[in-house]
Amino acid sequence: MQKSLLHTAFGVLALSLATAASAQVKPEDQIKFRQAGYSFMSWNMGKIKANLEGEYNAKQVEAAANAIAAIAGSGMGALYGPGTEKDIGNLKTRVKPEFFQQMQNVGKLATDFNAAAANLAKVAASGDKAAVQKAFGATGETCKACHDKYRME
Amino acid sequence: MQKSLLHTAFGVLALSLATAASAQVKPEDQIKFRQAGYSFMSWNMGKIKANLEGEYNAKQVEAAANAIAAIAGSGMGALYGPGTEKDIGNLKTRVKPEFFQQMQNVGKLATDFNAAAANLAKVAASGDKAAVQKAFGATGETCKACHDKYRME
């Protein structure tokens, strides 16, 4: 577990550090894209929740979990570059300033989130509703951990 | 190929028809979520493009392709429900009205897109840059096919 978390952490760092390809994304677009990612993930979390509380459609849950895991693992760290700490024009950011001073802690929370989302996708593929319930809850906790610390109300 | 396309088409239909879980998403949220999906995919298409034109980071390309494929396959058809044909408040939609009258054609374009994105992810995992170039181009064509027909300027 430790080894794979470390690998994931390096993976997250590696993707974030691969700025060559991402460096041309303007700050306002970085804010826009990260908000798009969180928004789309929230739709998919909502779908899984509805499936857990109502009629369980395993394929729908699997697709939703895959979307969440893939978005989580797509190197969103690159969307928190210089200039994205403040609102830009109509684009409002809810990220607290201290986020940018605590990148090590942010990296840890991101790693936790990534691992939970990856596990959710893996478990969703099995069709095991009870296991999905647990993994879904665990994933939500990782979302909350970052939101509680770094997202303004 | 025919069999898997048919399977994908049914898959897309099945996800779209699984409205039980999605029916509670308000029209304004459906518009918001679909725009979020396209936006996040465009970031990832941009990353792949930058990798193909510059220094090729296979892991970054793989993660980007996975995000695109997973978003494409997450049942976005459910985000084009009744009431989402027009702007709602500040939420502007660029979908042309005829989209909602031509669902069979839309389904075909969506299936093409899904297949191309899935192939892009599969090829990206191989690390074969030339193959990714082809698959990336093919995916872009499927985006364009729908945009040309159903997206306002």
Side-chain angles (χ1 to χ4, degrees):
Chain A
M1 178 65 158
Q2 200 58 25
K3 218 172 192 177
S4 72
L5 273 183
L6 210 59
H7 174 81
T8 309
F10 284 152
V12 167
L13 275 176
L15 286 174
S16 302
L17 289 172
T19 53
S22 301
Q24 296 99 44
V25 180
K26 296 184 293 192
E28 51 266 44
D29 289 338
Q30 291 183 39
I31 296 174
K32 182 184 76 168
F33 290 140
R34 71 199 191 202
Q35 289 179 346
Y38 295 126
S39 181
F40 201 78
M41 284 191 286
S42 82
W43 174 54
N44 285 284
M45 289 294 274
K47 272 190 284 175
I48 297 175
K49 183 171 191 279
N51 273 277
L52 289 167
E53 294 175 353
E55 193 180 307
Y56 191 81
N57 180 327
K59 283 289 168 201
Q60 190 181 65
V61 171
E62 187 178 353
N66 283 341
I68 294 163
I71 291 171
S74 64
M76 287 180 71
L79 297 173
Y80 287 92
T84 68
E85 313 87 347
K86 290 179 161 38
D87 298 348
I88 302 177
N90 286 332
L91 227 32
K92 313 290 181 208
T93 176
R94 290 167 75 185
V95 179
K96 289 184 178 175
E98 48 264 44
F99 177 101
F100 297 90
Q101 313 307 325
Q102 298 174 15
M103 291 310 279
Q104 203 170 355
N105 192 39
V106 169
K108 187 205 170 295
L109 295 180
T111 298
D112 291 345
F113 170 46
N114 239 296
N119 182 58
L120 175 60
K122 181 176 149 212
V123 162
S126 77
D128 181 341
K129 184 179 175 182
V132 168
Q133 181 82 59
K134 285 184 84 169
F136 174 76
T139 302
E141 290 294 319
T142 63
C143 306
K144 189 178 187 300
C146 200
H147 294 167
D148 282 354
K149 198 135 173 71
Y150 297 116
R151 188 178 71 178
M152 295 189 247
E153 285 320 301
Chain B
M1 179 62 159
Q2 200 58 25
K3 218 174 192 173
S4 72
L5 273 183
L6 209 60
H7 175 79
T8 309
F10 284 152
V12 167
L13 276 175
L15 286 174
S16 303
L17 290 172
T19 52
S22 301
Q24 296 100 46
V25 181
K26 295 184 293 192
E28 50 266 44
D29 289 336
Q30 291 183 39
I31 295 174
K32 182 184 76 170
F33 289 140
R34 71 199 191 202
Q35 290 179 347
Y38 296 125
S39 180
F40 202 78
M41 284 191 287
S42 81
W43 175 52
N44 284 284
M45 289 293 276
K47 271 190 285 174
I48 296 175
K49 184 170 189 280
N51 273 276
L52 289 167
E53 294 175 350
E55 192 180 308
Y56 192 81
N57 180 327
K59 282 290 171 200
Q60 190 181 67
V61 171
E62 188 179 352
N66 281 341
I68 294 163
I71 291 171
S74 64
M76 288 181 71
L79 298 172
Y80 287 92
T84 68
E85 313 88 347
K86 292 180 158 38
D87 298 347
I88 302 176
N90 287 334
L91 228 32
K92 312 291 183 207
T93 176
R94 291 168 73 186
V95 179
K96 289 183 178 176
E98 49 264 44
F99 176 100
F100 299 91
Q101 314 306 326
Q102 297 175 16
M103 291 309 280
Q104 204 170 355
N105 192 40
V106 168
K108 187 203 168 295
L109 296 179
T111 298
D112 292 345
F113 169 46
N114 239 294
N119 182 59
L120 175 60
K122 181 175 149 212
V123 162
S126 75
D128 180 342
K129 184 179 175 182
V132 168
Q133 181 81 61
K134 284 184 85 170
F136 173 76
T139 303
E141 288 295 318
T142 63
C143 306
K144 188 179 187 302
C146 199
H147 294 166
D148 282 353
K149 197 133 174 71
Y150 296 116
R151 190 178 68 179
M152 298 189 245
E153 287 318 304

